[in-house]
Amino acid sequence: SCYIWNIEYVLDVAENLKKILPEVKIVFGGPEVSYDAVQRLERHEYVDIIITGEGEKTFRELLEWYCEGRPHKELVSICGLCYREDSGKIHMTPAREPARMDELCFPYHDLKDMENRIIYYETIRGCPFSCSYCLSSVEKSVRLRSLPMVFEELDFFLKHHVKQVKFVDRTFNCNHEHAYEIWKYIQEHDNGMTNFHFEISADLLNEEELTLMEKMRPGLIQLEIGVQSTNSETVREIQRTMDFEKLSRNVMRIRGMNNIHQHLDLIAGLPFENLKSFEKSFDDVYRLRPDQLQLGFLKVLKGSRMEEKKADYGLEHKDMPPYEVLYTDWLSFEEISELKGIEEMVEAYYNSRQFGHALEELEKEYASPYRMYRELWIYHEKNGGLGMQHKRSARYELLLGFMGDVCKKGENYCRELLAYDYYLRENAKSRPLFAGENRMEKEQARLFYERESKEHEYLPSYAGYDKNQLRRMTHLEYFPELGKTVLFDYMEKNPLDQEARTVEIK
């Protein structure tokens, strides 16, 4: 199965395998070879057959054909193939009709070798929308797996306490009944452990679905929401259907539920989106405060409408997979490079969820979040922080240096915010250098834990632990600039962001 992320490896393995075992038939399939199958066979003589389109039925028929020892010329009877005839001429058979979803086999039977791995699962093929950058838009029909079959398969995942099931359905909630019944089933049969990931259009969510989501266990589901751009001209040109105002309301409402992780996407390099326009798109989405904000770059996929129209957009992309945009009529290569820097900063600081309180303070100094990350990127560039795999504490030191130059409340206040963020995630007994000294007096801390081991006023779930155990399992910090003393409880973490429970000590 060939995709943009594995095609180079597949070609290398296939070429060398053919040298070692020349009699072996090598069959390719998948989106990376379906749309230029003839050219692939012309370029790669070691590939014998390419399956175009859906492969389940075609591959089965091909295996049966080989097992029965039928002559090569009879391959013409199998739909969905591109192959070489005995004469060397390349032949394509008619396209195969899409399969009914209930005809497809459930691929999971034994999960013992898949512990702690993401399980991919599919209940929908096709998409009702026509986004020009996406291959799902090529197929206009939408096919659904029947709900009784889906429920039976979900039971299998729940019974085996799978950590995460990722639905690969392109727009999971394009059919209200299908989406609602699955979400309802998951909510009613929650095993307290399994997380389900869905890619949705947030502007399609209705009141019934939102009311159901409010009842869900924190961490039961997570949502990936493609915004891509808030530029109306861009959205129209890529044939995307989106009501951003409604999407924003729904995203903010879900955020207020405090039980569902939301991941929002933007794509740089789309038509009619220049740097100023993208800055606005970034700020619009950032202000929705998603748990993750992915700044992606347009990939010009084979078979997509975007590939057909790339000359109209002055769109140049890399020849090697994943065919990422280099520049367009609206966005220069230098501006793409700037956006790469912004992406690195967002990944390191926002998406890591390790600097929440510090970033909130920093944002007060900027009218535009994009401008804030741009200046942070420039600061990293000047201080040797770009493209490096830093220790976590080094990121705090770099951010402290930047905040010290920008924030009006001063370096000590920023230092305490960063220390607060650090201890939310880290029960560190060796204190990081950036945090300075703990202002908590040792005698005060000793008395606190001695009293707490008897009274359990702040740590009710720690009954039975002595004062030394309490000290090892928690962290007590005095923040004079913030004006409070905080106890960080690592036994009770937030299931969405894994932050420690905090309680202010009187």
Side-chain angles (χ1 to χ4, degrees):
S1 292
C2 302
Y3 302 88
I4 55 175
W5 49 267
N6 75 349
I7 183 64
E8 295 302 315
Y9 302 104
V10 170
L11 289 170
D12 182 55
V13 170
E15 184 175 17
N16 289 301
L17 186 62
K18 199 69 170 183
K19 291 175 182 177
I20 299 165
L21 299 170
E23 73 282 2
V24 164
K25 296 294 181 186
I26 293 181
V27 183
F28 280 10
E32 186 56 20
V33 295
S34 280
Y35 299 97
D36 62 347
V38 172
Q39 293 88 338
R40 284 283 181 187
L41 288 183
E42 289 173 346
R43 288 201 306 272
H44 308 300
E45 294 184 357
Y46 47 88
V47 183
D48 298 295
I49 298 171
I50 290 178
I51 293 174
T52 61
E54 291 185 355
E56 289 93 349
K57 286 188 171 183
T58 306
F59 188 55
R60 182 186 178 94
E61 288 182 20
L62 186 63
L63 292 179
E64 290 172 343
W65 181 88
Y66 276 118
C67 289
E68 293 167 7
R70 294 164 65 184
H72 189 71
K73 63 182 180 181
E74 289 187 14
L75 275 175
V76 71
S77 65
I78 302 177
C79 291
L81 288 186
C82 183
Y83 66 95
R84 289 188 189 85
E85 297 176 343
D86 291 331
S87 64
K89 181 182 176 183
I90 295 173
H91 182 77
M92 285 194 73
T93 65
R96 182 174 292 277
E97 287 294 314
R100 292 190 303 110
M101 289 297 289
D102 284 6
E103 294 174 342
L104 304 178
C105 295
F106 181 63
Y108 302 106
H109 300 284
D110 185 354
L111 297 177
K112 68 173 183 250
D113 294 327
M114 304 189 76
E115 189 176 352
N116 296 322
R117 291 179 62 181
I118 295 173
I119 301 295
Y120 293 92
Y121 180 60
E122 183 179 37
T123 72
I124 302 174
R125 281 192 184 171
C127 181
F129 305 115
S130 304
C131 304
S132 62
Y133 53 83
C134 180
L135 285 178
S136 294
S137 65
V138 175
E139 183 188 337
K140 302 301 180 188
S141 64
V142 176
R143 291 166 285 149
L144 308 175
R145 200 163 179 84
S146 67
L147 289 172
M149 188 172 283
V150 171
F151 296 157
E152 182 180 341
E153 291 161 357
L154 290 176
D155 277 341
F156 177 81
F157 297 138
L158 291 164
K159 176 184 174 184
H160 285 84
H161 291 90
V162 170
K163 188 174 182 180
Q164 185 180 61
V165 178
K166 188 167 186 176
F167 281 64
V168 297
D169 307 339
R170 273 288 155 241
T171 306
F172 175 75
N173 62 327
C174 64
N175 181 293
H176 164 66
E177 181 186 3
H178 183 82
Y180 179 79
E181 292 300 327
I182 290 174
W183 281 333
K184 182 181 176 187
Y185 191 88
I186 287 170
Q187 194 263 335
E188 291 175 348
H189 296 81
D190 180 15
N191 62 11
M193 174 182 174
T194 304
N195 165 263
F196 296 88
H197 177 107
F198 301 92
E199 186 175 326
I200 69 162
S201 288
D203 53 325
L204 296 182
L205 292 171
N206 61 28
E207 185 60 35
E208 187 178 27
E209 292 164 340
L210 290 165
T211 300
L212 176 64
M213 287 178 181
E214 288 176 336
K215 303 173 185 175
M216 291 180 174
R217 163 180 63 85
L220 174 60
I221 71 170
Q222 64 187 52
L223 303 175
E224 182 173 350
I225 298 162
V227 180
Q228 321 314 7
S229 172
T230 64
N231 181 334
S232 58
E233 194 174 8
T234 296
V235 172
R236 185 166 54 250
E237 178 63 24
I238 62 176
Q239 299 184 348
R240 184 166 177 76
T241 303
M242 180 184 66
D243 181 341
F244 183 67
E245 187 177 334
K246 186 177 179 185
L247 180 149
S248 299
R249 286 199 306 270
N250 288 342
V251 166
M252 292 301 289
R253 179 169 169 182
I254 292 169
R255 182 171 170 245
M257 297 175 189
N258 295 315
N259 64 342
I260 295 173
H261 174 103
Q262 295 184 98
H263 175 133
L264 270 59
D265 297 331
L266 284 169
I267 297 179
L270 294 172
F272 297 102
E273 185 96 272
N274 59 25
L275 191 62
K276 185 176 180 181
S277 164
F278 189 85
E279 180 179 326
K280 181 180 183 304
S281 291
F282 181 93
D283 288 350
D284 288 342
V285 174
Y286 190 89
R287 289 182 176 119
L288 297 178
R289 311 301 300 180
D291 298 286
Q292 298 271 299
L293 196 171
Q294 181 176 327
L295 197 173
F297 293 81
L298 178 64
K299 293 162 182 61
V300 185
L301 304 178
K302 292 176 181 177
S304 67
R305 182 172 168 271
M306 187 64 69
E307 186 190 35
E308 293 174 8
K309 296 203 66 176
K310 62 184 181 182
D312 298 342
Y313 303 142
L315 196 166
E316 195 63 59
H317 61 82
K318 294 180 181 178
D319 290 332
M320 297 288 285
Y323 314 115
E324 193 171 273
V325 62
L326 291 168
Y327 59 83
T328 71
D329 280 345
W330 299 273
L331 211 56
S332 69
F333 175 74
E334 289 75 19
E335 289 169 331
I336 291 278
S337 299
E338 175 177 319
L339 293 177
K340 288 282 184 181
I342 303 298
E343 178 199 25
E344 185 177 337
M345 295 300 96
V346 170
E347 283 298 313
Y349 290 103
Y350 186 83
N351 288 344
S352 69
R353 312 308 295 171
Q354 296 171 357
F355 307 89
H357 294 84
L359 287 178
E360 282 183 21
E361 185 62 33
L362 193 54
E363 287 160 15
K364 296 174 184 176
E365 307 294 336
Y366 292 89
S368 161
Y370 179 92
R371 295 290 167 138
M372 181 186 82
Y373 284 101
R374 186 178 186 277
E375 288 196 17
L376 184 58
W377 166 59
I378 292 169
Y379 179 86
H380 271 62
E381 196 171 38
K382 289 179 179 176
N383 290 274
L386 286 183
M388 295 173 60
Q389 294 296 321
H390 292 289
K391 288 183 178 179
R392 187 177 163 204
S393 58
R395 289 285 188 205
Y396 285 89
E397 289 166 12
L398 279 163
L399 189 57
L400 177 60
F402 180 69
M403 293 182 73
D405 294 339
V406 172
C407 292
K408 296 182 180 69
K409 292 186 178 178
E411 185 175 318
N412 286 334
Y413 186 85
C414 296
R415 186 187 304 280
E416 288 190 8
L417 279 178
L418 285 164
Y420 189 95
D421 283 331
Y422 186 85
Y423 283 108
L424 275 173
R425 294 294 192 94
E426 194 85 33
N427 184 14
K429 297 312 173 188
S430 58
R431 192 169 180 81
L433 289 175
F434 78 86
E437 293 183 9
N438 188 345
R439 309 284 186 85
M440 189 78 197
E441 293 182 12
K442 291 183 179 180
E443 180 62 15
Q444 281 184 308
R446 186 189 69 77
L447 290 172
F448 170 81
Y449 282 111
E450 191 171 280
R451 184 176 68 249
E452 191 62 22
S453 65
K454 300 171 184 174
E455 299 177 3
H456 300 290
E457 179 183 356
Y458 298 103
L459 297 168
S461 58
Y462 283 75
Y465 292 99
D466 63 33
K467 61 183 180 182
N468 293 324
Q469 290 172 317
L470 292 184
R471 196 161 197 159
R472 285 194 297 269
M473 298 166 72
T474 65
H475 178 76
L476 189 63
E477 181 95 9
Y478 172 48
F479 298 99
E481 295 283 340
L482 304 184
K484 57 186 175 183
T485 300
V486 178
L487 180 68
F488 298 86
D489 174 8
Y490 299 103
M491 187 181 287
E492 294 186 28
K493 290 186 175 183
N494 185 315
L496 290 187
D497 55 25
Q498 295 304 304
E499 289 184 352
R501 180 180 76 94
T502 59
V503 55
E504 192 170 338
I505 305 302
K506 297 171 187 176

